[in-house]
Amino acid sequence: MITSLILICLIAFGGMALTYLVVDDEAFMWRLAAGSIIGSAFFGLIGFCLALAVGLTPVVVGVSVVLTAAPLVLLTQKGIGGNFRHDWAKAKGKFQGGTLKRFEGFAYYAFFFVLFWFFFDQAMYETAQGIFTGGSQNLGDLPFHLGAIYSFTDGNNFPPQNPSFAGARFSYPFIADFLTACFMKFGVEVRDAMFVQNVTWAFSLVIVLERFTVKLTGSKLAGRIAPFLLIFSGGLGFAGFFKDYWAGTKGFWDLLWALPRDYTIGDNYRWGNSMVVLFITQRSLLLGMPLTVMVLGYLWRVFATGDEAHADSGSVVDPHEKKCKKSKKGEHETAVESGYSPLLKPLFVGLLAGTLPLIHLHSLAVLFVVTGFLFIIKPKSWQTWAAFGVGVSAVAIPELLWTMSGTATETSKFIGWNFGWDKREDNIVWFWVKNTGLMIPVIVAGLYLLLTGPKDDSEKKAYGDGFVNLPKGRGVTLALFYVPFFFIFIVSNIVKLAPWEWDNIKVLIYWFIGSIPLIAYAIAWAWNQGIVLKAAVAGVILVLTLGGVLDVWRTASGQIKAKVFDSDAIKIADKIKQKVPADALFLNAPTYNSAVVLSGRRSFMRYSGHLSSHGIDYASRERDTSMIYGGGAMADVFLRDDNIEYVLISPEERNSATLQAKDELFAKYPVVAESGQYKVYKIK
């Protein structure tokens, strides 16, 4: 754990130094959070490029850490170094004194940190019985990520082949898992590496989203509300909790400690809670989302000002912050004042966004849509948009070309008409009402407030103390900024953007991200109107988050104990690592939790659900697998033609209705590893 913390700190501080090239008005905490994401993105890309050349070794990881931390030399420059010292002094000052305001701020961030600690502690844990997960939706995703991680650490998978479909390019965005593999090369256990990274990225997302909302709305209260809306997202499924309570025999608290199911995802509810269905299962999104929100924040500043040279004024700050910023610039130079071209900022942000194809491709697609709309709406900033585009293209195009060459993914399977997303038999209006509760009505209220906002100072007073109002005309600008997010919502309800229609959530979640500032703005406005609306606001927040609170609590409290691998699977995987070449090709049952996953070796075919969701046609391999395990007359021919080197026989293969594997059919081959009911036969 200590090694993980040291590595994540070095990466974060290197990335933090780079933030001074882009923004001049952010606090130290935001810079450190952004730095952990920027550093992770660049560390992953640097390490991967080096590993392609010489393999993944501790030396490669060490060099990558040094290169990622190298931007710290920027802090020795007069202007940037002065800004850093100013930010550091201001950050230390916030911990001095015991005011209620400072305690509230500390408690706010401490709450999320503790929550993430307990929640992600359940992502994976090991007992004497095997490897378990406490995530209800993580049963298939955990072994998928472990398969990718171990393929890097123990399978010498460079250039990466798909470990679940050997011979094809690994086109899934794998940088998050590669980062875990890098930590492991420094002696960190896989669970500890994933845990530290997950907690760090999730906490960074909270800080980045909070500041993004403040930038857009001008409301610190809205900023504080925003992370709660994302972390505890959910619809009306909480009604099922009360139904379970009234229909059951358990008391209220007993039921809370033994929740029978998730309330935001299931047959009747498809939106799901972001923590339960996305962040614990899709580690790529957990890294890609805060990066994308940072880029969106920058695009907002450019869009709001229309002038890169003054992009930092795209935020709304209170008079005290303005005074501090003015004083700060009086003492120290900004990046632009130090002689850097104003176009360096959009170029650098573009380079950062360009890393997304290997981190989370759907996030890049969202940025493409948003940037296109913003350029059409305000084309006069064409030089800034062009510099941003050049930066993105310089990194993203080579990555895309590389991932597309040799891939088994059929892109034609990713696009198709599909009205109503995953509504099934529901009426589309009712589907969205029950899945999102009051979310859409509150979005409309937020837009109304933006477009009708206060006309003069007397009306501004009605917003209440502590609520920073938007400057004149900013409401319309923010409403226009929301247009591409609304477009994403419409398209996602008409077109299937992935082979499995539910995977549209990877794009739809950004409609929600774009909507959160509007929702938070409306709630913050209502909170400042008086005691009656305060009560209404409490009810609205309860409806928006109760389902998510229940599901997050169910995971964080350790109520779910789903076994992924038994102890013999772990033992046979260790023996495979010792006795089987790293690049060996295995035949195993097409299931998500084959013991081969833990060995890092490639599989002829694994879980069909994963393969189909990635647009891979696996039918011929599925047929060959059945023929070989069935012991048909052509079994030996298929073994030879498919170049199978090792065959695993385990309870999965024996108990499968389609395989029904029998050990005697492979008795002519030597057994190279055995543990309990697991046997590995050497074919070649």
Side-chain angles (χ1 to χ4, degrees):
M1 183 73 77
I2 297 298
T3 304
S4 291
L5 294 173
I6 293 173
L7 288 172
I8 207 74
C9 286
L10 289 172
I11 291 170
F13 276 99
M16 179 204 67
L18 291 173
T19 66
Y20 286 94
L21 297 177
V22 183
V23 291
D24 301 317
D25 65 337
E26 292 291 2
F28 181 80
M29 191 172 187
W30 181 93
R31 292 189 186 278
L32 197 56
S36 71
I37 303 302
I38 296 172
S40 295
F42 286 146
F43 171 69
L45 191 58
I46 292 168
F48 178 64
C49 290
L50 293 176
L52 280 178
V54 298
L56 184 59
T57 66
V59 173
V60 165
V61 177
V63 171
S64 302
V65 170
V66 170
L67 292 176
T68 304
L72 286 170
V73 300
L74 291 171
L75 303 184
T76 63
Q77 294 187 9
K78 179 182 177 182
I80 293 178
N83 289 350
F84 168 73
R85 289 188 293 273
H86 175 276
D87 292 339
W88 174 242
K90 189 174 179 181
K92 287 194 300 181
K94 291 183 177 180
F95 286 96
Q96 297 174 356
T99 65
L100 178 60
K101 183 177 180 180
R102 287 174 178 170
F103 175 77
E104 289 174 349
F106 174 80
Y108 175 83
Y109 295 113
F111 167 80
F112 282 109
F113 183 81
V114 172
L115 171 67
F116 296 147
W117 184 281
F118 282 98
F119 184 86
F120 288 110
D121 187 56
Q122 295 297 313
M124 171 187 171
Y125 59 92
E126 188 172 348
T127 71
Q129 286 73 46
I131 294 175
F132 292 76
T133 181
S136 61
Q137 308 297 312
N138 202 32
L139 190 61
D141 289 276
L142 175 60
F144 176 83
H145 290 294
L146 290 177
I149 293 166
Y150 282 119
S151 78
F152 294 131
T153 59
D154 296 276
N156 193 30
N157 194 19
F158 299 98
Q161 296 181 33
N162 190 332
S164 300
F165 201 77
R169 176 78 76 193
F170 194 22
S171 55
Y172 180 86
F174 53 74
I175 286 296
D177 293 329
F178 177 77
L179 285 165
T180 302
C182 289
F183 279 36
M184 291 173 66
K185 281 297 180 179
F186 262 28
V188 181
E189 293 293 330
V190 62
R191 181 187 183 278
D192 291 342
M194 286 198 299
F195 173 75
V196 169
Q197 291 167 353
N198 290 347
V199 171
T200 300
W201 296 339
F203 191 69
S204 296
L205 174 59
V206 164
I207 296 171
V208 169
L209 179 61
E210 177 196 9
R211 189 58 178 163
F212 173 72
T213 303
V214 173
K215 290 284 188 181
L216 267 63
T217 66
S219 168
K220 291 182 179 180
L221 178 58
R224 289 292 174 91
I225 293 169
F228 285 98
L229 299 175
L230 176 64
I231 300 305
F232 298 114
S233 61
L236 300 180
F238 62 83
F241 168 78
F242 295 104
K243 182 178 179 181
D244 290 340
Y245 171 66
W246 290 321
T249 58
K250 292 182 178 179
F252 183 83
W253 295 110
D254 290 335
L255 180 60
L256 273 181
W257 281 99
L259 294 172
R261 56 193 171 101
D262 286 335
Y263 294 101
T264 65
I265 189 72
D267 292 335
N268 294 321
Y269 296 90
R270 305 304 298 155
W271 179 251
N273 168 262
S274 61
M275 291 284 285
V276 171
V277 304
L278 294 176
F279 298 149
I280 197 173
T281 61
Q282 300 181 29
R283 303 185 70 238
S284 297
L285 179 63
L286 188 57
L287 175 58
M289 180 174 285
L291 190 156
T292 304
V293 173
M294 284 190 293
V295 175
L296 288 172
Y298 175 78
L299 296 179
W300 158 254
R301 290 199 295 269
V302 174
F303 183 73
T305 62
D307 181 3
E308 169 52 40
H310 300 91
D312 288 320
S313 64
S315 61
V316 182
V317 293
D318 63 30
H320 175 70
E321 287 180 330
K322 288 182 179 180
K323 182 178 179 180
C324 290
K325 183 179 176 185
K326 183 177 179 181
S327 173
K328 176 179 171 181
K329 287 191 174 183
E331 298 177 12
H332 311 295
E333 297 174 298
T334 65
V336 174
E337 292 167 344
S338 299
Y340 294 100
S341 167
L343 296 182
L344 174 66
K345 290 184 179 183
L347 180 65
F348 175 78
V349 176
L351 292 171
L352 178 62
T355 64
L356 282 169
L358 293 181
I359 295 176
H360 192 251
L361 184 58
H362 287 83
S363 294
L364 180 65
V366 167
L367 287 178
F368 178 81
V369 171
V370 173
T371 306
F373 268 88
L374 299 185
F375 173 71
I376 292 172
I377 295 172
K378 285 195 174 182
K380 70 176 183 178
S381 302
W382 68 269
Q383 289 179 311
T384 300
W385 301 126
F388 175 74
V390 168
V392 174
S393 301
V395 181
I397 290 178
E399 289 182 352
L400 289 170
L401 292 175
W402 181 84
T403 56
M404 291 171 61
S405 63
T407 180
T409 297
E410 299 179 17
T411 55
S412 60
K413 294 184 177 181
F414 279 77
I415 300 294
W417 298 110
N418 185 65
F419 180 72
W421 182 37
D422 199 18
K423 70 180 184 66
R424 302 183 181 185
E425 301 302 319
D426 282 333
N427 171 278
I428 189 170
V429 175
W430 170 238
F431 170 79
W432 280 109
V433 168
K434 76 175 185 179
N435 274 278
T436 62
L438 297 175
M439 183 193 303
I440 293 176
V442 181
I443 291 172
V444 174
L447 284 170
Y448 175 80
L449 289 170
L450 287 171
L451 295 174
T452 61
K455 303 297 187 301
D456 52 40
D457 290 339
S458 62
E459 290 188 27
K460 287 183 179 182
K461 292 179 180 179
Y463 279 61
D465 294 337
F467 189 86
V468 182
N469 299 285
L470 296 176
K472 184 178 181 180
R474 184 60 58 81
V476 174
T477 303
L478 181 49
L480 290 173
F481 186 75
Y482 183 67
V483 170
F485 298 98
F486 179 69
F487 174 79
I488 288 170
F489 175 76
I490 296 298
V491 170
S492 298
N493 275 277
I494 298 175
V495 179
K496 182 178 68 172
L497 302 173
W500 180 31
E501 62 271 10
W502 189 84
D503 271 349
N504 273 23
I505 191 71
K506 297 176 182 179
V507 174
L508 273 168
I509 190 64
Y510 281 106
W511 160 69
F512 185 40
I513 289 294
S515 302
I516 282 176
L518 303 179
I519 301 171
Y521 182 87
I523 291 174
W525 179 88
W527 182 261
N528 285 288
Q529 301 310 301
I531 189 65
V532 175
L533 281 185
K534 275 184 169 63
V537 164
V540 169
I541 293 176
L542 190 66
V543 172
L544 289 172
T545 62
L546 182 55
V549 167
L550 290 169
D551 284 1
V552 170
W553 164 252
R554 184 174 182 233
T555 298
S557 59
Q559 297 181 31
I560 304 167
K561 296 175 174 60
K563 182 184 289 187
V564 186
F565 299 99
D566 61 32
S567 58
D568 283 332
I570 299 172
K571 293 174 184 176
I572 197 69
D574 289 337
K575 292 182 178 180
I576 291 173
K577 293 178 184 180
Q578 298 168 11
K579 300 179 180 181
V580 176
D583 58 352
L585 176 60
F586 267 79
L587 181 74
N588 52 261
T591 182
Y592 58 87
N593 62 340
S594 171
V596 178
V597 165
L598 302 176
S599 72
R601 274 51 177 177
R602 298 171 299 141
S603 290
F604 181 63
M605 174 187 172
R606 288 183 193 162
Y607 184 44
S608 58
H610 289 153
L611 298 176
S612 63
S613 68
H614 297 160
I616 297 175
D617 184 359
Y618 57 85
S620 62
R621 294 199 183 189
E622 187 176 45
R623 177 205 63 203
D624 291 3
T625 300
S626 297
M627 290 293 293
I628 294 170
Y629 277 117
M634 297 293 291
D636 288 338
V637 175
F638 285 126
L639 282 170
R640 183 187 66 247
D641 292 349
D642 293 329
N643 202 31
I644 303 298
E645 296 171 284
Y646 294 86
V647 172
L648 173 68
I649 302 289
S650 74
E652 294 291 343
E653 288 76 20
R654 296 188 186 97
N655 299 331
S656 169
T658 58
L659 300 182
Q660 296 182 335
K662 295 179 176 58
D663 290 79
E664 55 266 26
L665 297 176
F666 298 90
K668 60 184 176 180
Y669 300 110
V671 176
V672 296
E674 184 175 2
S675 178
Q677 299 186 61
Y678 291 75
K679 289 184 180 180
V680 174
Y681 294 91
K682 184 177 181 180
I683 307 302
K684 291 187 178 180

